[in-house]
C-alpha cells in the first residue's frame, strides 16, 4: 500500500507568489518523521524541511514551511515568495520509527514563471 | 568532506552485462541505502544496510545484489542487466537511530540498458 501520496499535477506559479504542495501519508506507527526534498533539473536531491510526529509546532526553514495536520495525516509544503530557482520536482517522504527506511511519494512538479 | 560519492555518473550497458555501481561516504553513517528513480514513480528502495555485514531488501530488490564490508562503502551489483533496469540510481546515508537526521544523497548514476 502506498504510504505517501502526492497527487497534484504539474503546477505553474507566478514569481513572488506562494505555492502549497500537498502530501498525505499513511502509518499506524505513532513515531514518524516527514521530510521534503527538492530535485532541480540537475538531478541532485536537496533536503528542505523536517517535521516529527511529536512536534507541537509546524516546521519552518526560511521560505519553506510545513503545514502539519496530524489528524488528517497531511504534511503540506508551503513555499513563500516563489523564485525562479524554485522550479523543480518536490518529494514528500516519511520515515517510520519502527524501521528507519525512507518512503517517497511520486513528487510534484513546480514551474515558476516570471 | 566529500559526503556521499557515486561512480560512475553515466553508464550504458547491453542486456546481460554485469556491472557494479559504487557508493562511498565519509560521514561515518551506519545506515546506507540504494534507490532507483523512474519517471512518475518517485524513489523506490532497492536494498539497505544498517551497518557493516548487515544488508536487507527494500521494495524492489530483484536483479540487484549488495554487500557491506566496511562502513564507508556500499556497492550495488547488477548481475545480468535488463532494459527494465534503465533508471537513475541514488545512494543515500544517515545516522542510524537519529530519527530526525536527514538522509544525505549522492549525485546519482544514470544507467541505460540497451
Amino acid at each position: 500500500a502506498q504510504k505517501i501520496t502526492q497527487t497534484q499535477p504539474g503546477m505553474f506559479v507566478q514569481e513572488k507568489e506562494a505555492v502549497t504542495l500537498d502530501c498525505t501519508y499513511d502509518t499506524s506507527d505513532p513515531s514518524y518523521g516527514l521530510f521534503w526534498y527538492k530535485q532541480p533539473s540537475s538531478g541532485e536531491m536537496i533536503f528542505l524541511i523536517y517535521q516529527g510526529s511529536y512536534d507541537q509546532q509546524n516546521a519552518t526553514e526560511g521560505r519553506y514551511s510545513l503545514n502539519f495536520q496530524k489528524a488528517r495525516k497531511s504534511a503540506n509544503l508551503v513555499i513563500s515568495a516563489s523564485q525562479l530557482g524554485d522550479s523543480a520536482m518536490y518529494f514528500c517522504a516519511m520515515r517510520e520509527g519502527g524501521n528507519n527506511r525512507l518512503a517517497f511519494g511520486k513528487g510534484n512538479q513546480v514551474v515558476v514563471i516570471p | 568532506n566529500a559526503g556521499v560519492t557515486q561512480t560512475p555518473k553515466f553508464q550504458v550497458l547491453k542486456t546481460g552485462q554485469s556491472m557494479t555501481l559504487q557508493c562511498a561516504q565519509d560521514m561515518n553513517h551506519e545506515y546506507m541505502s540504494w534507490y532507483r528513480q523512474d519517471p512518475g514513480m518517485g524513489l523506490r528502495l532497492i536494498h539497505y544496510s544498517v551497518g557493516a555485514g548487515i544488508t536487507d531488501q527494500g521494495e524492489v530488490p530483484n536483479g540487484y545484489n549488495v554487500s557491506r564490508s566496511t562502513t564507508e562503502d556500499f556497492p550495488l551489483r547488477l548481475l545480468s542487466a535488463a532494459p527494465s533496469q534503465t533508471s537513475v540510481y541514488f545512494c543515500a546515508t544517515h545516522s542510524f537511530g537519529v530519527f530526525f537526521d536527514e538522509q544525505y544523497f549522492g549525485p546519482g548514476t544514470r544507467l541505460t540498458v540497451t
Side-chain angles (χ1 to χ4, degrees):
Chain A
Q2 192 171 2
K3 289 186 175 283
I4 298 287
T5 303
Q6 296 177 260
T7 55
Q8 288 164 302
M11 303 175 70
F12 289 91
V13 181
Q14 201 74 41
E15 196 177 7
K16 297 180 187 172
E17 291 191 346
V19 58
T20 297
L21 306 180
D22 296 340
C23 172
T24 58
Y25 58 92
D26 181 29
T27 181
S28 56
D29 194 327
S31 180
Y32 54 89
L34 297 156
F35 301 78
W36 277 92
Y37 282 84
K38 172 184 176 181
Q39 186 179 43
S41 58
S42 51
E44 71 269 30
M45 296 292 289
I46 301 168
F47 167 72
L48 295 178
I49 196 166
Y50 165 85
Q51 178 84 45
S53 59
Y54 296 117
D55 292 342
Q56 295 296 313
Q57 294 191 322
N58 288 342
T60 60
E61 289 286 348
R63 293 186 300 111
Y64 304 106
S65 60
L66 203 152
N67 184 1
F68 182 46
Q69 298 188 43
K70 195 170 181 177
R72 293 186 179 183
K73 293 189 176 176
S74 91
N76 299 340
L77 177 71
V78 180
I79 306 173
S80 62
S82 296
Q83 302 172 354
L84 296 178
D86 294 334
S87 294
M89 184 73 82
Y90 290 82
F91 291 98
C92 180
M94 177 175 66
R95 182 184 298 152
E96 293 169 295
N99 62 36
N100 252 290
R101 287 175 282 176
L102 202 59
F104 284 83
K106 295 184 178 181
N108 296 110
Q109 181 74 52
V110 173
V111 176
V112 180
I113 51 178
Chain B
N1 287 352
V4 183
T5 58
Q6 290 183 239
T7 55
K9 285 195 165 93
F10 301 94
Q11 183 70 49
V12 179
L13 288 179
K14 294 190 175 172
T15 298
Q17 287 184 318
S18 63
M19 79 159 295
T20 300
L21 279 63
Q22 301 291 346
C23 175
Q25 55 110 352
D26 61 2
M27 294 181 286
N28 205 31
H29 286 167
E30 301 91 343
Y31 192 97
M32 296 186 75
S33 50
W34 277 102
Y35 293 87
R36 61 177 288 173
Q37 183 179 21
D38 303 295
M41 297 295 292
L43 278 76
R44 294 181 292 170
L45 183 65
I46 305 171
H47 285 286
Y48 66 98
S49 168
V50 299
I54 306 170
T55 64
D56 205 347
Q57 296 180 349
E59 184 185 352
V60 287
N62 292 343
Y64 307 96
N65 275 359
V66 292
S67 60
R68 182 103 178 263
S69 56
T70 67
T71 300
E72 294 79 20
D73 300 296
F74 190 43
L76 178 72
R77 296 184 189 84
L78 283 72
L79 299 177
S80 178
S84 61
Q85 294 178 304
T86 293
S87 188
V88 179
Y89 292 84
F90 287 98
C91 179
T93 77
H94 77 264
S95 291
F96 190 65
V98 181
F99 193 66
F100 52 83
D101 193 21
E102 68 181 272
Q103 203 144 9
Y104 296 83
F105 284 84
T109 294
R110 187 174 293 273
L111 175 68
T112 301
V113 183
T114 61

